[in-house]
Amino acid sequence: VPQQLYGNTEIRHRAIPTPPQCVGGLSPMVQSKLESLYYNRILGRNELDQRILDSLAQFPPPVGVAVLDKFLETDLSQIQNKNGFLAGIMRRFRGPADPNKNMMAQSRLPLSIQSQIEQLYSSGLIHRAEIDAKVLEQLGQLDEDTALDAITRFQNSDLTHVKNKSGFLVGVIKRTKQERGLSPPTSKAPSFSTLLDSKHNHYYMAPPAYM
């Protein structure tokens, strides 16, 4: 039987019966993912309480699945309070980003940009909750070619040790705009040459103070 490891947790891929109805308002996509955990005995049906399931149901379906994927990265046999552990993951996914605002902001972007962002999500490079709506709005303020260039640069970057991917993307957008001449370079302190008096070619010195 094909097997897959999540952290130290082994999943056997077997046919999973479709649940007769969704529990706690969960979407079919998230409920199916949850059923796979129950069916493979990774999680007991009584280990998550209704409040946690209700919180999980508040996420858009793709984000809810991403939350459970993150949940599976840990060896759950070593976690005593699975409710608290999953609640912590959901808090991190909410973070400063509101999943519903993200979806709205993304829907306002040109289709070509939406498609490239979806590729980032489907490739597993980033989760939906890791990019907040404000960054998506910044992309929307760019012309289409510049926005696509910024996303490509972000995609080609090594994100392994990047914790704040929204902040990193903001930096990529700024650099892309500067290189295309769309924004002034970061202001710097005046150089020595700018302190020279251009008319007399000497620099001004204050008269000495007398005691």
Side-chain angles (χ1 to χ4, degrees), residues 2 6 14 32 35 46 48 65 82 88 90 94 126 130 143 148 160 167 176 187 198:
Y6 284 87
R14 297 179 287 180
S32 177
E35 285 295 323
N46 61 344
L48 295 180
V65 171
K82 295 183 176 65
M90 288 191 287
R94 287 191 186 97
I126 57 173
E130 291 182 294
D143 64 86
L148 291 171
T160 307
T176 304
S187 60
S198 58

mmCIF file of all heavy atoms in Angstrom, residues 2 6 14 32 35 46 48 65 82 88 90 94 126 130 143 148 160 167 176 187 198:
data_model
loop_
_atom_site.group_PDB
_atom_site.id
_atom_site.type_symbol
_atom_site.label_atom_id
_atom_site.label_comp_id
_atom_site.label_asym_id
_atom_site.label_seq_id
_atom_site.Cartn_x
_atom_site.Cartn_y
_atom_site.Cartn_z
ATOM 1 N N PRO A 2 0.691 2.191 -0.911
ATOM 2 C CA PRO A 2 1.521 3.396 -0.921
ATOM 3 C C PRO A 2 1.437 4.122 0.408
ATOM 4 O O PRO A 2 0.393 4.202 1.029
ATOM 5 C CB PRO A 2 0.900 4.241 -2.049
ATOM 6 C CG PRO A 2 0.116 3.277 -2.866
ATOM 7 C CD PRO A 2 -0.336 2.205 -1.943
ATOM 8 N N TYR A 6 4.251 12.387 7.012
ATOM 9 C CA TYR A 6 4.079 13.786 7.398
ATOM 10 C C TYR A 6 4.784 13.936 8.732
ATOM 11 O O TYR A 6 4.316 13.463 9.750
ATOM 12 C CB TYR A 6 2.608 14.145 7.553
ATOM 13 C CG TYR A 6 1.890 14.329 6.247
ATOM 14 C CD1 TYR A 6 1.323 13.260 5.588
ATOM 15 C CD2 TYR A 6 1.789 15.591 5.681
ATOM 16 C CE1 TYR A 6 0.661 13.441 4.385
ATOM 17 C CE2 TYR A 6 1.126 15.780 4.488
ATOM 18 C CZ TYR A 6 0.567 14.710 3.856
ATOM 19 O OH TYR A 6 -0.083 14.890 2.672
ATOM 20 N N ARG A 14 -5.653 5.215 1.336
ATOM 21 C CA ARG A 14 -6.738 4.269 1.099
ATOM 22 C C ARG A 14 -7.984 5.038 0.703
ATOM 23 O O ARG A 14 -8.062 6.238 0.887
ATOM 24 C CB ARG A 14 -7.026 3.471 2.393
ATOM 25 C CG ARG A 14 -5.838 2.612 2.839
ATOM 26 C CD ARG A 14 -6.166 1.874 4.123
ATOM 27 N NE ARG A 14 -6.181 2.778 5.262
ATOM 28 C CZ ARG A 14 -6.433 2.376 6.494
ATOM 29 N NH1 ARG A 14 -6.709 1.115 6.758
ATOM 30 N NH2 ARG A 14 -6.422 3.244 7.487
ATOM 31 N N SER A 32 -13.233 16.570 3.984
ATOM 32 C CA SER A 32 -12.596 15.395 3.389
ATOM 33 C C SER A 32 -11.171 15.216 3.922
ATOM 34 O O SER A 32 -10.741 14.098 4.213
ATOM 35 C CB SER A 32 -12.582 15.534 1.868
ATOM 36 O OG SER A 32 -11.925 14.446 1.269
ATOM 37 N N GLU A 35 -11.456 13.931 7.408
ATOM 38 C CA GLU A 35 -11.843 12.520 7.409
ATOM 39 C C GLU A 35 -10.653 11.611 7.145
ATOM 40 O O GLU A 35 -10.579 10.503 7.680
ATOM 41 C CB GLU A 35 -12.927 12.278 6.350
ATOM 42 C CG GLU A 35 -14.310 12.783 6.724
ATOM 43 C CD GLU A 35 -14.900 12.042 7.913
ATOM 44 O OE1 GLU A 35 -14.685 10.821 8.036
ATOM 45 O OE2 GLU A 35 -15.582 12.695 8.719
ATOM 46 N N ASN A 46 -12.798 12.320 18.679
ATOM 47 C CA ASN A 46 -13.135 13.062 19.903
ATOM 48 C C ASN A 46 -11.990 13.961 20.361
ATOM 49 O O ASN A 46 -12.052 14.547 21.436
ATOM 50 C CB ASN A 46 -13.507 12.084 21.027
ATOM 51 C CG ASN A 46 -12.358 11.144 21.369
ATOM 52 O OD1 ASN A 46 -11.407 11.011 20.590
ATOM 53 N ND2 ASN A 46 -12.436 10.493 22.513
ATOM 54 N N LEU A 48 -10.751 16.703 18.720
ATOM 55 C CA LEU A 48 -10.956 18.110 18.393
ATOM 56 C C LEU A 48 -12.363 18.499 18.825
ATOM 57 O O LEU A 48 -13.331 17.859 18.417
ATOM 58 C CB LEU A 48 -10.788 18.352 16.891
ATOM 59 C CG LEU A 48 -9.381 18.121 16.313
ATOM 60 C CD1 LEU A 48 -9.372 18.399 14.817
ATOM 61 C CD2 LEU A 48 -8.335 18.971 17.027
ATOM 62 N N VAL A 65 -7.501 23.750 4.347
ATOM 63 C CA VAL A 65 -6.690 22.574 3.999
ATOM 64 C C VAL A 65 -5.221 22.836 4.311
ATOM 65 O O VAL A 65 -4.509 21.954 4.826
ATOM 66 C CB VAL A 65 -6.872 22.212 2.509
ATOM 67 C CG1 VAL A 65 -5.872 21.144 2.082
ATOM 68 C CG2 VAL A 65 -8.295 21.718 2.251
ATOM 69 N N LYS A 82 -4.105 18.505 21.372
ATOM 70 C CA LYS A 82 -4.197 18.761 19.932
ATOM 71 C C LYS A 82 -5.092 19.962 19.639
ATOM 72 O O LYS A 82 -4.895 20.660 18.654
ATOM 73 C CB LYS A 82 -4.680 17.512 19.200
ATOM 74 C CG LYS A 82 -3.686 16.353 19.277
ATOM 75 C CD LYS A 82 -4.167 15.151 18.483
ATOM 76 C CE LYS A 82 -3.124 14.034 18.496
ATOM 77 N NZ LYS A 82 -2.890 13.464 19.829
ATOM 78 N N GLY A 88 -3.175 27.162 17.838
ATOM 79 C CA GLY A 88 -1.966 27.958 17.625
ATOM 80 C C GLY A 88 -1.630 28.098 16.147
ATOM 81 O O GLY A 88 -1.232 29.174 15.691
ATOM 82 N N MET A 90 -3.788 27.955 13.681
ATOM 83 C CA MET A 90 -4.779 28.841 13.075
ATOM 84 C C MET A 90 -4.482 30.305 13.387
ATOM 85 O O MET A 90 -4.681 31.183 12.543
ATOM 86 C CB MET A 90 -6.184 28.455 13.542
ATOM 87 C CG MET A 90 -6.685 27.155 12.923
ATOM 88 S SD MET A 90 -8.455 26.833 13.197
ATOM 89 C CE MET A 90 -8.455 26.391 14.922
ATOM 90 N N ARG A 94 -3.897 33.199 10.641
ATOM 91 C CA ARG A 94 -4.607 34.478 10.615
ATOM 92 C C ARG A 94 -3.589 35.598 10.633
ATOM 93 O O ARG A 94 -3.610 36.480 9.803
ATOM 94 C CB ARG A 94 -5.552 34.597 11.811
ATOM 95 C CG ARG A 94 -6.793 33.706 11.691
ATOM 96 C CD ARG A 94 -7.831 34.055 12.753
ATOM 97 N NE ARG A 94 -8.934 33.127 12.735
ATOM 98 C CZ ARG A 94 -9.053 32.088 13.536
ATOM 99 N NH1 ARG A 94 -8.121 31.851 14.455
ATOM 100 N NH2 ARG A 94 -10.090 31.274 13.453
ATOM 101 N N ILE A 126 4.328 29.018 -1.080
ATOM 102 C CA ILE A 126 3.761 29.796 0.022
ATOM 103 C C ILE A 126 2.332 29.325 0.280
ATOM 104 O O ILE A 126 1.711 28.716 -0.590
ATOM 105 C CB ILE A 126 3.737 31.317 -0.279
ATOM 106 C CG1 ILE A 126 2.957 31.599 -1.575
ATOM 107 C CG2 ILE A 126 5.130 31.892 -0.336
ATOM 108 C CD1 ILE A 126 2.738 33.062 -1.840
ATOM 109 N N GLU A 130 0.001 33.569 4.018
ATOM 110 C CA GLU A 130 1.309 34.181 4.223
ATOM 111 C C GLU A 130 1.468 35.496 3.465
ATOM 112 O O GLU A 130 2.446 36.216 3.693
ATOM 113 C CB GLU A 130 2.412 33.204 3.822
ATOM 114 C CG GLU A 130 2.536 32.004 4.745
ATOM 115 C CD GLU A 130 3.670 31.079 4.369
ATOM 116 O OE1 GLU A 130 3.606 30.466 3.283
ATOM 117 O OE2 GLU A 130 4.615 30.954 5.164
ATOM 118 N N ASP A 143 1.654 48.469 -13.071
ATOM 119 C CA ASP A 143 1.200 48.014 -14.372
ATOM 120 C C ASP A 143 1.422 46.506 -14.453
ATOM 121 O O ASP A 143 2.225 45.927 -13.704
ATOM 122 C CB ASP A 143 1.951 48.736 -15.496
ATOM 123 C CG ASP A 143 3.447 48.425 -15.504
ATOM 124 O OD1 ASP A 143 3.834 47.409 -16.106
ATOM 125 O OD2 ASP A 143 4.209 49.197 -14.878
ATOM 126 N N LEU A 148 3.967 41.299 -12.807
ATOM 127 C CA LEU A 148 4.369 39.932 -13.170
ATOM 128 C C LEU A 148 5.870 39.738 -12.966
ATOM 129 O O LEU A 148 6.315 38.675 -12.520
ATOM 130 C CB LEU A 148 3.988 39.640 -14.620
ATOM 131 C CG LEU A 148 2.484 39.515 -14.908
ATOM 132 C CD1 LEU A 148 2.223 39.441 -16.403
ATOM 133 C CD2 LEU A 148 1.899 38.298 -14.209
ATOM 134 N N THR A 160 13.443 29.654 1.763
ATOM 135 C CA THR A 160 13.560 28.627 2.802
ATOM 136 C C THR A 160 13.583 29.216 4.202
ATOM 137 O O THR A 160 12.910 28.722 5.111
ATOM 138 C CB THR A 160 14.836 27.794 2.586
ATOM 139 O OG1 THR A 160 14.859 27.300 1.244
ATOM 140 C CG2 THR A 160 14.878 26.623 3.561
ATOM 141 N N GLY A 167 6.478 40.687 3.909
ATOM 142 C CA GLY A 167 7.510 41.718 3.969
ATOM 143 C C GLY A 167 8.562 41.538 2.892
ATOM 144 O O GLY A 167 9.043 42.511 2.299
ATOM 145 N N THR A 176 11.939 46.156 -7.748
ATOM 146 C CA THR A 176 11.503 46.082 -9.140
ATOM 147 C C THR A 176 11.096 47.464 -9.649
ATOM 148 O O THR A 176 11.443 47.859 -10.768
ATOM 149 C CB THR A 176 10.319 45.098 -9.279
ATOM 150 O OG1 THR A 176 10.690 43.818 -8.751
ATOM 151 C CG2 THR A 176 9.929 44.920 -10.734
ATOM 152 N N SER A 187 16.412 57.574 -0.129
ATOM 153 C CA SER A 187 17.226 58.750 0.161
ATOM 154 C C SER A 187 18.389 58.377 1.059
ATOM 155 O O SER A 187 18.269 57.546 1.946
ATOM 156 C CB SER A 187 16.365 59.824 0.828
ATOM 157 O OG SER A 187 15.825 59.326 2.034
ATOM 158 N N SER A 198 29.800 74.859 -4.288
ATOM 159 C CA SER A 198 30.109 74.712 -5.701
ATOM 160 C C SER A 198 30.619 76.011 -6.320
ATOM 161 O O SER A 198 31.348 76.002 -7.300
ATOM 162 C CB SER A 198 28.860 74.227 -6.463
ATOM 163 O OG SER A 198 27.805 75.141 -6.272
#
